[in-house]
Structures are given as C-alpha cells and as structure tokens.
Amino acid sequence: PIYLQKKEQKMKKFVLVLCVLVLIAGLAFSTGSKEKAAETKKIILRVGHTLTDDSHYGVGLAKLADLAKQKSNGTIEVQAFGNSKLGNERDLIEGVSLGTIEMCLSSTGPLPNFSKAFMVFDLPFIVQDRNTFYPILDGETGQKMLEALGSKGIKGIVFFENGFRHITNSRRPINVPEDLKGLKIRLMENPVHLETFRVLGANPSPMAFGELFTALQQKVMDGQENPLLIIKTSKFYEVQKYLALSGHFYSPAVLMVNDKLFKSMSPAQQEAFQQAAKEARDFERNFIIESEKKLVDELKSLGMEVTTPDKAVFQKAAESVYTKFEADIGKDLIQKVRG
C-alpha cells in the first residue's frame, strides 16, 4: 500500500538523518578530545645560558619557570642550565636553531652571526638611558628584529636585559681612551665590539665566556667588559683590580625557543608562555636596576678601584665605528634605536 511505502521512506530518512547526526557528534567529540589532549600535553623546555644561577639570567629564568607553570596549568616546565653547561652562547643559539636545545637566553653579542640587524645594539653609546629604550626594544622595532630570527628556525620571544657593560682590568685605572692602549681585552665574538676596542687602542680578542675567569687569572687576558652583575656573580673582582664605569655598550638579552617546537604548542600554551616571558622580562630588568644601586659599593668593598670616565670623550673616539657598520646595519634602524 502507498501508505506503508511513505511510512517506510520517512523512516529511512529519519535513520539517515540520525546517522549523520551521530557521525557529526562523533567527529566533534574526537576533535574536542584531540584539542583537549593538545592543551594538556606537557612540554619540557631546557633553557641554556652562560651565567650563574644567582645571576640576573638565573633569577629571571627561575621566575619564568614559575610563571610558565602557573599560567599553563602545569603543562609547560622550564628547566634552566647555567654556567655554560649546554655550551657557550653561539653554541646555544645554533642548538636552538637546529632543535637540539629547546631554548636559550643569550646576550645579543653573537646574534649578528644570525641576523645583521642585531649589530645595531652593539654600536658604542647608542643607548644612554634604558628607560627610554625599553619602549623601542619592546615595540615594533624590537619585534621586527626578533622576527628576523625566524629564517634560522628560531622564535624570538622577548628581550631580557644584560645591562650596560663596563671595563675591568688588572693593569691600571681607565679614565681616558689612551689608558686602554695595548691592553689585552676579552670580548664576545662580535665584529662591532672588536672594532670599537681596536679604535679605542686596546688589543681585543674574542673568547668564550666559560674560559674567561681562568684567562684573567693566568694573565692570558689583561681585562674584560661586562655588566656589573656579571662582574660580581662571576667573581671577577678576585682577578681584576680596576673597574671603569664606562657604560660603553648596552646589552639586551634575547629569550629564544626553537620555532618548530613553539608552533607545536597549543594556542593556549603559546599565549601562556609568551605572557609568562613578558612578566619574567620585567621582573629581571627590575632586579638588575635594584641590584646596580648597591653593586659599585660592594665591588669597592671587595677590593676593586673604581673610576668614572667621561663617556663623551670615549664616544667621540669611537665615532668611526658608526661609519664602518652603517651600510650593514642601515641608517634608518640606527636612527630608530637612537630614538
């Protein structure tokens, strides 16, 4: 009968619709389960650096570990390895690029080997006031520089701080550029740094940070240059008599993670990690500022003789460095960083 045929057709349609709904629900459940699994997948990030655990790097990364764990609901674990345990700075950056190390925190010193734009930070006296420089570093200019590392397989997260660099040596007080003449000064493997000290009359030589204390102790090197916190925590006062508050370079530090690994994180984990990094960055910078207020007196009490050279005299003596590297860095970028 026609009545039964129509009833049967309606039943078939109902069953078909029901099957489709069940299939959609199953797919939705499956997708949701996969997304949930991605959200809860635990990621361990080993972060290498060259300083001690009680340095500004160590303190900042400890804060990052706490914040990342908290903001990711325990799904991101940061494990810091200091004292060059995972390699020197160039080794660490290359490791992050290749994916053999998840993450590193490095000064910008070796980064011109990966992107020439980073040479701008190394120009002598280009940064005079860190507080007016932070908006440049954390804004569009700094972001573009971090993004330039993407072609090397590196995700630049944020700029931590290393600080203003000062000169120490075991030979004599430094007050004017002429006082540097002939001194063997250890520098990072950085063309701008090396040229600056050549122009100032020193005999600069690149050397891995992990080898520096012994080189100073054995007088292989007369001196070195680093921020006050590194001079203190690395105990350079034990092998260096003279400290000149030259502030010749301002050194940011870049927190980097392997780009492929970062992209494997869930969107929620990426957001949590980036937010944790920004808060840890601010914490680390403030730690440096507060520490520097008392470090000069501490280093004096530990036996160092401190001088305060006229920066304008050193700046004038190093003007030719800008001319030499302007083509590589770009005049526009130099002007942006100068503010």
Side-chain angles (χ1 to χ4, degrees):
I2 295 175
Y3 170 74
L4 290 176
Q5 287 178 351
K6 287 184 178 180
K7 189 174 182 181
E8 187 177 344
Q9 288 173 351
K10 286 182 180 180
M11 182 61 70
K12 286 181 178 178
K13 287 181 181 179
F14 175 75
V15 171
L16 180 60
V17 170
L18 185 62
C19 288
V20 171
L21 290 173
V22 169
L23 180 61
I24 291 172
L27 288 171
F29 178 79
S30 175
T31 302
S33 298
K34 288 179 181 178
E35 288 178 353
K36 189 173 181 181
E39 295 285 343
T40 57
K41 180 184 177 183
K42 186 166 183 177
I43 295 175
I44 296 175
L45 300 173
R46 295 173 304 153
V47 53
H49 66 99
T50 58
L51 305 184
T52 59
D53 292 338
D54 61 346
S55 67
H56 47 296
Y57 282 8
V59 169
L61 291 172
K63 187 68 173 179
L64 174 64
D66 289 342
L67 289 168
K69 182 179 180 180
Q70 171 193 328
K71 293 179 182 295
S72 69
N73 295 317
T75 65
I76 297 177
E77 181 182 341
V78 175
Q79 300 175 351
F81 294 84
N83 293 298
S84 305
K85 289 175 184 173
L86 300 183
N88 61 43
E89 287 191 326
R90 182 157 183 171
D91 292 336
L92 291 171
I93 299 168
E94 288 176 348
V96 171
S97 176
L98 296 170
T100 56
I101 301 171
E102 292 82 26
M103 186 165 62
C104 75
L105 178 61
S106 169
S107 70
T108 52
L111 281 172
N113 296 297
F114 299 84
S115 171
K116 285 189 176 182
F118 284 92
M119 294 170 75
V120 72
F121 295 133
D122 301 310
L123 289 169
F125 304 100
I126 193 167
V127 177
Q128 300 285 336
D129 178 7
R130 55 165 48 103
N131 289 315
T132 58
F133 185 54
Y134 287 154
I136 297 170
L137 204 57
D138 302 334
E140 183 181 353
T141 299
Q143 187 58 39
K144 284 183 178 178
M145 297 183 76
L146 292 176
E147 289 172 359
L149 295 170
S151 63
K152 303 296 183 182
I154 297 170
K155 170 72 175 176
I157 303 295
V158 291
F159 287 99
F160 274 46
E161 181 166 308
N162 203 12
F164 285 98
R165 305 177 76 88
H166 307 284
I167 305 167
T168 71
N169 82 97
S170 58
R171 295 270 300 275
R172 54 181 175 263
I174 304 297
N175 287 293
V176 293
E178 288 74 19
D179 293 330
L180 284 168
K181 189 173 181 180
L183 290 183
K184 294 176 289 184
I185 304 291
R186 175 269 175 185
L187 296 174
M188 290 184 283
E189 188 182 347
N190 180 290
V192 185
H193 286 197
L194 291 165
E195 178 64 17
T196 297
F197 273 78
R198 284 192 199 101
V199 166
L200 293 175
N203 180 17
S205 180
M207 175 181 285
F209 185 81
E211 302 169 11
L212 178 54
F213 187 92
T214 301
L216 295 171
Q217 188 177 44
Q218 296 177 352
K219 301 293 191 293
V220 174
M221 292 290 173
D222 296 316
Q224 61 86 51
E225 48 83 57
N226 259 304
L228 292 174
L229 264 168
I230 295 180
I231 293 168
K232 170 70 188 307
T233 57
S234 299
K235 299 184 179 181
F236 290 147
Y237 53 83
E238 294 182 356
V239 290
Q240 300 276 271
K241 173 69 175 175
Y242 304 102
L243 165 63
L245 300 175
S246 52
H248 48 280
F249 301 132
Y250 172 80
S251 178
V254 182
L255 184 68
M256 293 165 270
V257 65
N258 177 262
D259 188 54
K260 187 176 180 181
L261 174 61
F262 181 80
K263 288 176 178 175
S264 74
M265 295 181 187
S266 71
Q269 286 176 318
Q270 290 179 1
E271 176 63 28
F273 181 70
Q274 289 180 304
Q275 188 56 45
K278 288 177 181 177
E279 292 183 26
R281 170 202 68 195
D282 295 343
F283 177 86
E284 188 252 10
R285 287 174 178 173
N286 189 61
F287 175 81
I288 291 174
I289 292 168
E290 291 302 312
S291 297
E292 284 182 349
K293 292 176 182 177
K294 53 189 178 182
L295 273 171
V296 173
D297 287 337
E298 284 186 21
L299 290 168
K300 283 181 179 178
S301 71
L302 290 165
M304 297 198 85
E305 184 179 318
V306 181
T307 58
T308 307
D310 184 350
K311 292 183 183 180
V313 176
F314 280 79
Q315 188 171 5
K316 186 175 181 180
E319 280 179 355
S320 63
V321 179
Y322 281 72
T323 305
K324 180 165 184 173
F325 291 100
E326 187 179 87
D328 285 327
I329 299 170
K331 187 179 287 188
D332 288 346
L333 182 56
I334 291 173
Q335 291 302 322
K336 285 178 182 177
V337 172
R338 270 181 161 168

